[in-house]
Amino acid sequence: MDSTVSGAPEPKGIRKHLSNLLIGRPLETRTLAHQVVSNKIGLAVFASDALSSTAYATEEILVILALTGTVAYLGLALPIALAIAALLVIVTISYRQTIFAYPNGGGAYIVARDNLGELAAQIAGAALLTDYILTVAVSISSGVAQIISAFPDLTPWRVPMAVAIIGLVTIVNLRGVKESGAVFSVPTYFFLGMMFLTLIVGFYRWATGTLGVVTGVEFAVEAAAPLTMFLVLRAFSSGSAALTGIEAISNGITAFREPRSRNAAKTLVVMSTLLVTMFLGITFLSRHIQAIPSHQETIISQMARTVFGAGSLFYLLLIAGTALILLMAANTSYADFPRLAALHAGDGFLPRQLTYRGGRLVFSWGIMTLAIAASVLVIFMRASTTALIPLYAIGVFLSFTVSQTGMVVRLRKIGRLKPGEVVKGLETNLEYDPHWRLHMIISAFGAVCTFVVMMIFAITKFTSGAWFILLLIPTLVFVFFRIHYHYKDVAQALSLENTAVNEIETDRVITMLLVDGVHKGTLQMVKFAKSMGNPWHAVHVGVNQEKTAVTQAKWDRYVGEGQLVIIDSPYRHLLAPIRQYVIDLLENNPGAIVHIVMGHLAMDSLMSQALHQNSSLILNLGLTGLERVVVTIVPLQIHQNGGEVNRNMLTGKDLKKARGERSIKN
């Protein structure tokens, strides 16, 4: 008979708990199916990273072209932007194919695992996880830089501000995908509205001949260099930062409403359309207003003040919207990093804790891991966007390449099928597609392009910090496999497949109580040991002769039964004598199980608990490696107000007695 109670009430006082105040009331597991988002909210959740890249992609192209030392070559920005837009379309089509091929999400990781093997999957996963951490650090640092440019007095607070914003974004995401999406949709759509208003007004003024040019900006160039194909390719790779975030929707398909694949694909197309339109529009206008890269003013700011006028309301609104979208770009990572980490953990390549959902049905461990890693990076790099950028984008282009290569392999398998034939695959079924050749060519071309961009990134930014990512990714892959092998070893050790029945039988159980003093907790331990019905005795490690004598006397007086074994420890060691005593018991009693019982004081609050030794974990670590040993903790709940112990009710005599018995090992 099913004893599950539906709609069980919340624990008392849960609304008053700090965590519930910050992240909301816990949600029942059965409501997981309802924790999905609409296409509009999904666009805000998964597209903020990609859309925010339009704030700096054009500028990155111009910065590289400016290395020639003349404004004459800045006109190449538009054809380079067109080439990047074409690549973006190709990658979008490829990921759209991925969304329909793998409706349960996972993106590059799942595609690689299904078609290229575990090694390729771990490479793609390590690259993406690294990139998500960098996305948070870069976007938050860039947004803080926008704020500081408007309020220079905040410069000393750059790092604390960045860490505080990461904390705020973390708390919002811990509340669940529906609530975080609703919160972050406002700045996303505000930015889109202001940017398209700027482009519309700018194009109108250009068409009517009333659009002016940028003035009062100093050309930023360190040294002149000749225009070479390598420089053009470098500008192309820098501008390709506009593609970062394209993969996010394919990783988070499960967050969309049914039909998930169709809704995710629609959102991907809308995101890419918006991205291409804004990217090309900004690049086009920047050339007609003769915007130039500068250390003092961004391209977006130059465009806004040329279109609306410096200091105007719309100018300030666009700058505010740009700063907000840069800050909110981190939300894409918060949506995808925990999901991808949970996939890794589910396959045994990351700690299992990353698969656990918190009270709000989000992967809380993944969210907190991302927040801590990004905060450490921000602190270490002093929230400097310039220092972080060289680390950025290599991972995402590596994942692009792996994903599209995996799709090529999958489509080749499909091409070998007969019309109407369906073959069961590792992740999804393979079904004949008459257009498989066209799809394969698109994916192959995209894989080659993204691989070239990745290599250019790695070569041109190697000395600036890219070397660290090139070392980090293989290191992470090595760690992933070490974790995987550990879980496989544990699974093999726990397996019952080849275990004979007599291997799990035992002659008897020997119970030993660890006693540091004699008190109420000790009596509770004795009652527990007697209830088990096995032979039992107590053990006391004597580090102080006077205390040992008192303990023996109290044992004889208050317990009066069972043996109290005293182990002398002249060097005041605790773990070593206990471990050796247990080893001796095991050797003298082959086949027996040694059951260790120890007490623990359970306090009402964490602050009170911190005042006690809490040595159960230390004991367990000290017994590591010993077989046929079981440890049981017998807690004694201490209520400081009106419970087991009440300070206000102690007499002077009782207080002296309590002081004499306070040395409990817990």
Side-chain angles (χ1 to χ4, degrees):
M1 180 177 179
D2 189 356
S3 61
T4 302
V5 180
S6 178
E10 286 184 66
K12 293 182 179 180
I14 197 167
R15 292 184 179 87
K16 298 180 181 178
H17 197 280
L18 179 60
S19 64
N20 299 110
L21 180 65
L22 291 175
I23 65 176
R25 295 171 56 188
L27 300 173
E28 293 186 50
T29 305
R30 63 180 179 176
T31 65
L32 179 61
H34 303 289
Q35 297 303 304
V36 292
V37 296
S38 64
N39 291 5
K40 293 180 180 179
I41 299 297
L43 182 66
V45 171
F46 294 103
S48 55
D49 178 21
L51 296 177
S52 69
S53 64
T54 59
Y56 51 81
T58 298
E59 186 162 0
E60 290 298 315
I61 297 174
L62 295 176
V63 166
I64 300 302
L65 293 175
L67 295 176
T68 59
T70 175
V71 297
Y73 295 121
L74 297 183
L76 292 173
L78 189 56
I80 290 174
L82 288 170
I84 293 172
L87 176 60
L88 193 151
V89 171
I90 292 171
V91 173
T92 299
I93 294 173
S94 180
Y95 269 97
R96 187 175 183 274
Q97 295 173 177
T98 302
I99 287 173
F100 284 107
Y102 296 92
N104 293 323
Y109 177 74
I110 294 297
V111 175
R113 189 180 67 181
D114 195 25
N115 300 287
L116 303 176
E118 287 292 0
L119 178 60
Q122 300 314 310
I123 292 173
L128 276 176
L129 291 173
T130 302
D131 193 72
Y132 287 144
I133 295 172
L134 285 166
T135 295
V136 175
V138 170
S139 60
I140 296 294
S141 298
S142 180
V144 169
Q146 294 281 348
I147 297 172
I148 290 176
S149 65
F151 304 98
D153 292 341
L154 295 176
T155 300
W157 298 92
R158 175 189 295 268
V159 174
M161 285 174 60
V163 174
I165 293 173
I166 290 175
L168 177 62
V169 176
T170 300
I171 291 174
V172 174
N173 275 277
L174 286 172
R175 296 185 67 87
V177 66
K178 290 182 70 175
E179 290 200 31
S180 64
V183 170
F184 293 130
S185 64
V186 176
T188 301
Y189 284 106
F190 176 72
F191 167 75
L192 288 174
M194 289 308 306
M195 182 56 72
F196 274 97
L197 176 63
T198 303
L199 293 177
I200 291 171
V201 175
F203 272 93
Y204 174 80
R205 295 191 61 186
W206 168 74
T208 58
T210 59
L211 184 64
V213 296
V214 173
T215 58
V217 179
E218 183 179 351
F219 186 52
V221 59
E222 305 297 334
L227 180 67
T228 61
M229 180 56 68
F230 184 78
L231 191 68
V232 173
L233 289 175
R234 186 178 171 187
F236 174 81
S237 64
S238 294
S240 295
L243 275 71
T244 55
I246 292 293
E247 80 293 341
I249 291 177
S250 69
N251 288 334
I253 300 174
T254 54
F256 286 86
R257 292 174 180 170
E258 293 287 357
R260 295 182 301 189
S261 292
R262 185 180 302 173
N263 286 327
K266 287 180 180 178
T267 307
L268 175 65
V269 172
V270 171
M271 178 186 72
S272 298
T273 303
L274 293 172
L275 182 54
V276 169
T277 302
M278 289 192 296
F279 177 46
L280 292 180
I282 292 169
T283 305
F284 180 86
L285 285 182
S286 70
R287 299 320 317 126
H288 284 278
I289 64 174
Q290 300 177 21
I292 55 178
S294 169
H295 294 305
Q296 287 76 36
E297 188 177 12
T298 64
I299 296 298
I300 296 296
S301 177
Q302 294 177 43
M303 182 180 70
R305 69 178 174 88
T306 304
V307 172
F308 296 121
S312 66
L313 176 61
F314 288 112
Y315 166 81
L316 295 175
L317 289 176
L318 178 61
I319 297 301
T322 303
L324 282 174
I325 194 65
L326 286 169
L327 294 175
M328 295 303 102
N331 193 55
T332 297
S333 293
Y334 277 92
D336 277 339
F337 180 96
R339 297 175 188 273
L340 182 57
L343 284 174
H344 276 266
D347 291 339
F349 288 91
L350 280 176
R352 300 288 191 191
Q353 292 89 332
L354 291 169
T355 63
Y356 300 160
R357 293 183 182 270
R360 300 291 293 181
L361 297 178
V362 294
F363 296 108
S364 303
W365 281 91
I367 291 175
M368 293 305 300
T369 300
L370 174 61
I372 293 171
S375 297
V376 170
L377 194 59
V378 163
I379 294 171
F380 186 75
M381 293 294 188
R382 304 299 301 168
S384 171
T385 307
T386 303
L388 289 165
I389 283 294
L391 310 178
Y392 196 42
I394 291 180
V396 73
F397 278 97
L398 175 57
S399 69
F400 283 164
T401 304
V402 173
S403 174
Q404 292 177 111
T405 302
M407 287 301 296
V408 170
V409 173
R410 175 184 172 85
L411 289 164
R412 285 191 63 186
K413 294 177 183 177
I414 290 176
R416 298 190 186 103
L417 301 178
K418 297 177 181 179
E421 184 180 1
V422 178
V423 176
K424 184 176 179 58
L426 294 176
E427 296 292 336
T428 58
N429 293 336
L430 299 175
E431 186 174 357
Y432 180 77
D433 181 0
H435 305 294
W436 69 270
R437 285 188 179 88
L438 175 61
H439 295 163
M440 186 178 70
I441 291 172
I442 292 173
S443 294
F445 183 69
V448 171
C449 291
T450 53
F451 176 76
V452 170
V453 173
M454 180 191 70
M455 293 303 298
I456 295 173
F457 257 112
I459 294 171
T460 58
K461 297 185 178 182
F462 183 83
T463 57
S464 300
W467 63 268
F468 177 72
I469 299 300
L470 295 176
L471 288 178
L472 178 63
I473 290 175
T475 301
L476 287 177
V477 172
F478 174 77
V479 172
F480 291 168
F481 275 99
R482 294 299 301 172
I483 293 173
H484 186 61
Y485 294 147
H486 165 76
Y487 280 128
K488 290 180 69 174
D489 290 342
V490 171
Q492 185 176 3
L494 295 176
S495 176
L496 295 173
E497 186 173 343
N498 298 317
T499 302
V501 175
N502 59 2
E503 289 185 33
I504 58 176
E505 292 181 352
T506 182
D507 295 330
R508 57 197 179 107
V509 176
I510 301 174
T511 302
M512 56 174 282
L513 282 60
L514 293 182
V515 175
D516 189 54
V518 178
H519 42 72
K520 284 186 177 181
T522 308
L523 298 182
Q524 188 164 294
M525 291 164 58
V526 171
K527 290 179 181 178
F528 173 78
K530 291 170 65 176
S531 70
M532 301 298 292
N534 298 313
W536 65 274
H537 65 278
V539 174
H540 173 78
V541 180
V543 297
N544 181 289
Q545 293 184 354
E546 294 181 0
K547 180 181 176 182
T548 299
V550 171
T551 301
Q552 181 68 67
K554 288 185 176 180
W555 180 271
D556 295 337
R557 177 181 176 184
Y558 293 106
V559 180
E561 60 179 312
Q563 179 186 10
L564 177 63
V565 177
I566 306 296
I567 304 176
D568 290 330
S569 180
Y571 296 103
R572 300 163 304 285
H573 294 157
L574 291 176
L575 287 180
I578 293 174
R579 181 181 176 88
Q580 187 58 51
Y581 182 81
V582 172
I583 291 174
D584 292 341
L585 276 180
L586 293 171
E587 291 178 349
N588 296 330
N589 298 274
I593 291 177
V594 175
H595 182 196
I596 301 174
V597 179
M598 64 181 300
H600 170 69
L601 288 185
M603 297 296 168
D604 289 334
S605 66
L606 291 176
M607 291 295 293
S608 299
Q609 195 69 59
L611 298 175
H612 299 271
Q613 294 180 32
N614 305 299
S615 54
S616 58
L617 175 62
I618 299 175
L619 175 67
N620 278 283
L621 292 175
L623 297 174
T624 300
L626 298 183
E627 297 183 356
R628 295 184 288 121
V629 175
V630 178
V631 179
T632 298
I633 309 299
V634 179
L636 178 67
Q637 184 65 52
I638 303 297
H639 300 290
Q640 292 178 293
N641 295 296
E644 294 277 343
V645 173
N646 190 319
R647 292 191 300 265
N648 298 325
M649 297 176 62
L650 291 176
T651 63
K653 182 178 180 180
D654 291 330
L655 184 57
K656 291 180 181 178
K657 182 179 179 181
R659 286 172 177 168
E661 297 181 356
R662 68 175 179 234
S663 56
I664 176 173
K665 181 178 184 293
N666 51 60

